[in-house]
Amino acid sequence: MTFPAISLAEAAALLRDGQVCAFPTETVYGLGADATDDDAVLRIYETKGRPRFNPLIVHCADLAMARQVAVFDGTAELLGQFWPGPLTLVLPGRAGNRISDLVTAGLDTVGVRIPGHAMARDLITAVGRPLAAPSANPSGRLSPTTAGQVWTGFSGRVPVLDGGPCLAGVESTILAVDGARVVQLRAGALAREEIEAVLGRPVELPAADAAISAPGMLASHYAPRATLRLNAEAVRPGELLLGFGDVLGSARNLSASGDLREAARNLFAMLHDLDGKTDAIAVSPVPMTGLGEAINDRLSRAAAPR
Ligand code: TXA
Ligand code: MG
């Protein structure tokens, strides 16, 4: 896919001017806008065709910028050691942080993250303001892991800064930090086991407390056009198999060696690819350990009726 290349300086100029611009992160491509500019943030919703206002993640260049946006307690400071990286922390917003209400959807908390992709941090530094960014796909469609997918997804209407294919391939893990409590609102590219090793205690899952939730976590999401049959032990007539591990007859294989990191990196790109080739995709079972939690979460959303 060829599309007009833009430089980091051009992307930064667009964003400073209140326009949207897609940019690479290590998880998926983001559709960015100045998080302090209401009109710019509205353009994110318009561009994505998002039906309602979900809170957006605020991307910061470094800890100094993140501390201007949110209030960090001891637990949040501890978890900050995963930055730059695929972790979003939902923290109390700092008074006077100038973040648009359209970003927080009126909540008194804010989701912050320092992305692991150096080009993303350089862009934020060049803009000089934090960037609100959901995944750079039309609402309800698969998240893009290449610049070309962003370009075709929005039919060439959105400028995109190309930083190569995303290394992680699934979105960030989202944790709400509420005093001593740490609740995982979304499984993602940072495995829960790694977080628990640093915390020294289990991370809670949201079912335990409906009061803390990620409003954007709709059941049907990340939707391919094709139907998806999960935990398929064998491929049926008319289906193409998205394999995992040493399985026969896969049209694509997330990881032939059974490596969950490789599988996460390939997930959306292979779904995109198969979606263009068939109306029925079967998917091999993927274990629930490590990044398997995030992979199974995205697969079940992609398979949900809509
Ligand atoms: O990897 C990622 O996180 C990507 C890249 C671009 O950074 N971004 C991404 O954004 O996945 P999005 O908008 O698709 O997902 C944001 C999620 C939503 O489910 C939203 O509900 C939740 O974050 N969220 C953001 N701020 C929140 C808050 N204050 N409280 C609860 N949930 C929040
Ligand atoms: Mg998304």
Side-chain angles (χ1 to χ4, degrees):
M1 174 55 52
T2 53
F3 51 89
I6 58 166
S7 67
L8 191 137
E10 287 168 326
L14 284 170
L15 289 162
R16 267 200 306 272
D17 186 43
Q19 305 303 314
V20 296
C21 181
F23 66 96
T25 83
E26 78 282 25
T27 58
V28 300
Y29 274 74
L31 181 64
D34 178 349
T36 66
D37 179 339
D38 286 337
D39 291 333
V41 175
L42 264 180
R43 289 198 179 96
I44 292 179
Y45 288 97
E46 287 163 5
T47 306
K48 277 187 72 99
R50 246 192 203 202
R52 60 197 177 103
F53 295 116
N54 293 328
L56 302 173
I57 295 170
V58 176
H59 296 69
C60 297
D62 50 33
L63 267 174
M65 187 182 273
R67 287 199 180 99
Q68 288 171 8
V69 171
V71 180
F72 285 69
D73 66 7
T75 307
E77 290 286 348
L78 184 66
L79 292 168
Q81 70 180 261
F82 287 108
W83 286 339
L87 174 68
T88 296
L89 296 178
V90 174
L91 302 173
R94 180 171 293 288
N97 64 9
R98 298 179 53 224
I99 299 294
S100 162
D101 281 343
L102 294 168
V103 170
T104 54
L107 299 171
D108 50 17
T109 54
V110 57
V112 278
R113 126 172 163 85
I114 302 174
H117 199 307
M119 193 183 269
R121 297 195 304 277
D122 289 347
L123 178 66
I124 300 162
T125 301
V127 176
R129 288 190 281 271
L131 294 180
S135 51
N137 51 278
S139 188
R141 314 287 347 166
L142 290 165
S143 298
T145 56
T146 65
Q149 286 164 8
V150 177
W151 184 256
T152 45
F154 289 116
S155 308
R157 284 180 296 115
V158 174
V160 49
L161 180 64
D162 191 351
C166 301
L167 283 177
V170 289
E171 294 86 347
S172 60
T173 301
I174 304 181
L175 298 177
V177 181
D178 180 25
R181 302 186 57 192
V182 177
V183 182
Q184 180 175 280
L185 300 183
R186 178 175 75 183
L190 181 64
R192 187 149 55 90
E193 291 89 329
E194 278 190 64
I195 298 161
E196 291 175 342
V198 161
L199 270 184
R201 57 194 157 88
V203 165
E204 293 177 49
L205 295 177
D209 183 351
I212 304 172
S213 67
M217 298 300 285
L218 307 173
S220 169
H221 202 37
Y222 311 103
R225 282 165 227 277
T227 62
L228 224 63
R229 187 169 65 85
L230 306 185
N231 299 310
E233 297 291 350
V235 60
R236 293 175 186 164
E239 288 181 341
L240 288 181
L241 180 66
L242 179 59
F244 177 82
D246 187 13
V247 292
L248 287 176
S250 28
R252 292 281 181 282
N253 198 312
L254 290 168
S255 169
S257 65
D259 176 347
L260 288 164
R261 281 183 186 276
E262 183 183 22
R265 194 181 307 137
N266 284 333
L267 180 68
F268 288 129
M270 289 188 174
L271 280 175
H272 266 289
D273 183 30
L274 290 180
D275 200 20
K277 295 187 162 71
T278 183
D279 293 333
I281 303 170
V283 190
S284 295
V286 177
M288 273 300 279
T289 51
L291 293 191
E293 194 179 352
I295 295 168
N296 279 298
D297 173 80
R298 302 304 184 275
L299 282 172
S300 56
R301 286 172 206 287
R306 49 187 179 273

